[in-house]
Amino acid sequence: TKNKAIVSTDDFQCYYIKRKPTIYVGKEIEFTKQEIIQKRTVLIKPALSVACFLFVITCLLNFAGIINLNNILYNPKVFAYISVDINPSLEIEIDGTGNVLKLVPLNEDAKVLVSKLEVTKTNVSMAIDKIINEVKKSNAISDTEKDCVLISSTLNSKERDHNEEFQREKEKLDIIIDSLKDSIQKSSNSSVYIVHADMEEREAARTEGMSTGRYVLYNTYKDLESDLSFE
C-alpha cells in the first residue's frame, strides 16, 4: 500500500512494516523489529495468516507453471501509446517511466518483426533501436539513403487539456518522445516526423485498421489532395 507493506518471513510469519520507496511486490528485503507496525486488532493476525497461506499457494502454482505470478504482480497501467510507421507498422504500449509493456503489430510485416523481438520492460528508446536494427536486415530501411519514420504519441487519458494532471502527463510524454526522436536519428539515417493524437483519434484509427500516425496525417491532408489514399 502507500505507507505500509505486508511481508512474509521464511517461517511464514507475516508482519506489517513501514513501506520504503524502494520496496515493490515480490522483492526480498531485510527489516528490523523497529520497522514492524504494531497490530491494532486481534483480527489482523488470522487475516495475515490467511493472506500468507494464499501467497504461498500462489507461488507454488507459479513454479508449477499453472499460473503466471509475474502477470499478477506486474500489471502497470498503460501510460501512453506510440505508433511507429517505417514499413512495418506497429504500436508500442508504455508505462509512466517509458518502459515497453507490449508491442502490437498493425500490418503483416510487423507481425513477423514482433515475433523476433523481446523488448518488454525495455526503455522505449532502446526498443526502437532494436526495431530499427531488425528492420534494416530486411532492407526496409537503408543505411545510405534517407528514410522517413513516422511517430505518433497518444496519452492514455480522456481528460481535457485544461486539466492540470493531464498537462503534467502530457509534458512527461513529450520528454519521452523527444528522447525517442533523438535516439532514432542517431541510430539511423532517417527523418523523424512526430504527430500527436488523442484517444478518439487512436480508436478511429483502429477502426480503419491503421496506425494512429497515418490516420492523423490522412485527415490533415485529405482535403488538399483529392486522390490521397491511406497508403
Side-chain angles (χ1 to χ4, degrees):
T1 68
K2 184 175 181 180
N3 299 316
K4 59 187 177 182
I6 299 175
V7 294
S8 173
T9 61
D10 288 340
D11 57 353
F12 305 114
Q13 297 297 310
C14 293
Y15 301 96
Y16 278 121
I17 65 168
K18 295 177 183 178
R19 184 178 182 271
K20 299 176 182 177
T22 55
I23 291 179
Y24 55 84
V25 177
K27 182 177 182 180
E28 185 173 304
I29 63 168
E30 293 183 354
F31 63 96
T32 64
K33 289 183 179 180
Q34 286 72 27
E35 294 176 79
I36 296 174
I37 299 173
Q38 295 300 315
K39 304 175 182 62
R40 295 181 180 177
T41 70
V42 295
L43 294 176
I44 290 179
K45 187 170 183 177
L48 285 178
S49 297
V50 172
C52 288
F53 174 75
L54 292 174
F55 183 73
V56 170
I57 294 298
T58 303
C59 289
L60 292 174
L61 292 174
N62 176 68
F63 292 140
I66 297 174
I67 64 172
N68 189 336
L69 185 58
N70 192 51
N71 288 340
I72 297 173
L73 300 181
Y74 183 79
N75 188 25
K77 176 187 173 183
V78 175
F79 171 70
Y81 302 92
I82 298 174
S83 74
V84 183
D85 286 283
I86 308 171
N87 179 9
S89 183
L90 54 90
E91 183 177 74
I92 306 173
E93 298 177 3
I94 63 170
D95 63 19
T97 61
N99 289 332
V100 175
L101 299 176
K102 187 178 180 182
L103 286 183
V104 180
L106 301 179
N107 60 11
E108 291 302 317
D109 289 334
K111 288 180 182 178
V112 176
L113 176 66
V114 169
S115 68
K116 298 177 181 178
L117 296 170
E118 178 49 61
V119 293
T120 306
K121 300 182 186 178
T122 303
N123 181 270
V124 66
S125 293
M126 295 177 63
I128 288 289
D129 284 342
K130 291 183 179 180
I131 290 170
I132 288 177
N133 288 334
E134 195 63 41
V135 171
K136 282 180 179 178
K137 295 177 183 177
S138 63
N139 296 320
I141 285 184
S142 171
D143 286 321
T144 56
E145 297 180 4
K146 199 81 170 178
D147 283 300
C148 296
V149 178
L150 173 63
I151 303 289
S152 79
S153 65
T154 307
L155 189 64
N156 185 20
S157 172
K158 294 188 177 180
E159 297 290 341
R160 299 299 179 185
D161 286 4
H162 61 262
N163 182 285
E164 289 185 8
E165 182 180 357
F166 178 90
Q167 289 297 335
R168 285 195 300 270
E169 292 188 338
K170 186 176 181 301
E171 288 174 6
K172 185 195 294 186
L173 179 57
D174 287 343
I175 292 171
I176 293 173
I177 294 298
D178 287 343
S179 174
L180 180 58
K181 180 178 180 179
D182 291 341
S183 177
I184 295 174
Q185 290 176 330
K186 288 177 182 177
S187 63
S188 66
N189 184 31
S190 301
S191 297
V192 182
Y193 296 90
I194 307 292
V195 296
H196 303 283
D198 57 32
M199 286 297 291
E200 290 182 358
E201 289 172 313
R202 177 184 174 272
E203 289 165 5
R206 288 299 156 278
T207 302
E208 296 292 344
M210 67 174 62
S211 72
T212 306
R214 181 173 291 188
Y215 178 84
V216 171
L217 281 189
Y218 175 79
N219 281 283
T220 301
Y221 295 109
K222 65 181 179 181
D223 294 332
L224 301 179
E225 302 249 1
S226 59
D227 60 344
L228 187 66
S229 71
F230 282 133
E231 287 301 318

